[in-house]
Amino acid sequence: MNPENGKKTYESIEIPEKLNEMVTQTIASKNKEELRMKYEEQKKTMKPASRRPLWRGCVAAAAAILVAGTVGLNASPAFAEEMSKVPVIGQLAQVLTFRSFHGTEGDVELNVNVPVVQGADGKELPAKVNAQIQQITANYEAQAKADMAEYKEAFFATGGTEEEWAGRTMDLFIDYDVKYFDDDILSLEVTTAKSWVSADEERTYYNIDLKNDKELTLEDLLGKDYVSICNKSIVKQINERIAADESVSFFGYGKNTDEISSMGGFETVDASTSFYLNADGEVVISFPEYSIAPGYMGIQEFVITP
């Protein structure tokens, strides 16, 4: 099921205007604080400099470079000094912070760390993936600013005052995490999230064969029977989670099957299904909010064990 369809179905339920506004503001405030706390907590657990801890079969954690923008700093002595400290991870690649910015632009508070994957010779590896990451994050940031500007315009057009607007901001987060890294494979997660009148989070994964400079597929990792392997494992785990906790709910599964089956739910993986490798090198399937379960269940992940 398309997550947007599930979200639209939920949002189509009629709620009295005053109650809706109060609930929306309360949820937005709670979501914004939770998102901020999550980001701050992540920063505490990250290692100094690299802040991307999940190496396997590698030397000590690598240092990353925090670059505010991409032009101008390259010529500075400070930049050159930091560049000299960055070791190569394994033999083939390293993950650096391509762009880092933390501050406020208008009504948007930005916490941005955009990665770039480079080969030992400094060449971007693979260039296609890096271009995708930079395009996705740039588009997300631009769209967030445009959405906030449109919301602000509508707010004042419908009678809102400066006093009522005061303190209204959008918190936008872009960050990344190295999920798995060895001499052959890099599994990278890029997270984009924003919180304002509501909160949302999206995760994009890149699984790279470093030696052959290409993106890996589920078939590459699990074989030609990957669909059957994944489906059996996911259905088994869904039923186990429902049996273990009565608050757990998946579309089309459990005691409410007839009631919620119209919402869709998990049926099968395919070549476009999102996944990454965890620290143990296991395949983890990741489903976005609303895709196979109600929104309160959040992003759902399943470790696949053939």
Side-chain angles (χ1 to χ4, degrees):
M1 175 186 175
N2 188 313
E4 281 301 316
N5 292 338
K7 188 174 182 180
K8 288 178 181 178
T9 300
Y10 173 79
E11 292 175 344
S12 67
I13 301 174
E14 185 174 354
I15 302 175
E17 184 175 351
K18 289 186 178 180
L19 175 60
N20 181 60
E21 182 178 357
M22 181 176 67
V23 171
T24 299
Q25 290 179 355
T26 301
I27 292 175
S29 176
K30 182 175 184 294
N31 285 337
K32 180 180 291 189
E33 183 60 25
E34 286 180 348
L35 200 56
R36 184 185 299 277
M37 289 175 64
K38 177 180 178 181
Y39 181 80
E40 292 300 325
E41 192 63 29
Q42 286 177 341
K43 288 198 295 184
K44 291 178 184 178
T45 60
M46 293 174 185
K47 292 185 178 181
S50 76
R51 308 194 324 180
R52 304 292 177 259
L54 296 179
W55 308 133
R56 180 183 177 186
C58 301
V59 294
I65 302 172
L66 300 181
V67 182
T70 59
V71 180
L73 292 183
N74 291 356
S76 74
F79 182 90
E81 180 182 356
E82 288 301 310
M83 193 67 173
S84 67
K85 298 176 184 177
V86 179
V88 173
I89 304 305
Q91 299 298 316
L92 295 174
Q94 56 191 357
V95 179
L96 305 178
T97 299
F98 171 77
R99 176 175 181 264
S100 182
F101 179 78
H102 306 276
T104 301
E105 293 186 2
D107 299 301
V108 180
E109 184 173 333
L110 297 166
N111 294 278
V112 176
N113 294 303
V114 179
V116 63
V117 184
Q118 289 189 350
D121 58 359
K123 176 184 176 182
E124 289 191 8
L125 174 73
K128 181 180 179 181
V129 168
N130 286 322
Q132 288 177 347
I133 293 173
Q134 291 161 26
Q135 190 64 58
I136 286 172
T137 53
N139 289 348
Y140 191 86
E141 187 175 332
Q143 186 60 54
K145 292 177 181 178
D147 289 344
M148 192 61 176
E150 182 179 351
Y151 172 61
K152 184 175 184 178
E153 181 179 355
F155 178 85
F156 287 113
T158 54
T161 66
E162 290 287 350
E163 290 77 14
E164 292 171 329
W165 178 261
R168 295 188 183 222
T169 60
M170 174 190 287
D171 290 342
L172 186 146
F173 302 90
I174 298 174
D175 211 345
Y176 65 95
D177 185 23
V178 176
K179 309 299 286 186
Y180 180 89
F181 206 160
D182 65 17
D183 285 349
D184 300 321
I185 296 174
L186 165 66
S187 189
L188 181 69
E189 174 188 82
V190 177
T191 299
T192 50
K194 61 179 180 289
S195 177
W196 51 316
V197 294
S198 62
D200 66 69
E201 178 180 343
E202 298 176 17
R203 299 175 187 174
T204 306
Y205 299 99
Y206 301 93
N207 304 285
I208 305 168
D209 178 340
L210 296 171
K211 286 187 174 180
N212 298 302
D213 192 11
K214 70 168 190 174
E215 286 193 73
L216 292 166
T217 66
L218 286 170
E219 184 174 346
D220 291 332
L221 296 166
L222 297 173
K224 293 184 177 180
D225 199 27
Y226 77 92
V227 172
S228 176
I229 292 171
C230 291
N231 289 350
K232 288 179 182 178
S233 182
I234 292 170
V235 170
K236 180 176 181 291
Q237 291 179 65
I238 286 176
N239 289 325
E240 288 174 345
R241 293 177 190 182
I242 291 173
D245 187 345
E246 62 181 13
S247 68
V248 169
S249 177
F250 288 87
F251 299 141
Y253 291 84
K255 62 183 179 180
N256 297 322
T257 299
D258 294 337
E259 178 182 347
I260 63 176
S261 61
S262 62
M263 298 290 288
F266 174 72
E267 295 180 359
T268 184
V269 301
D270 57 33
S272 65
T273 300
S274 294
F275 73 95
Y276 65 90
L277 297 180
N278 63 18
D280 294 320
E282 299 168 312
V283 172
V284 180
I285 302 294
S286 179
F287 294 100
E289 292 179 338
Y290 299 99
S291 60
I292 66 170
Y296 76 86
M297 291 283 290
I299 293 170
Q300 290 295 301
E301 298 186 340
F302 302 86
V303 177
I304 304 302
T305 52

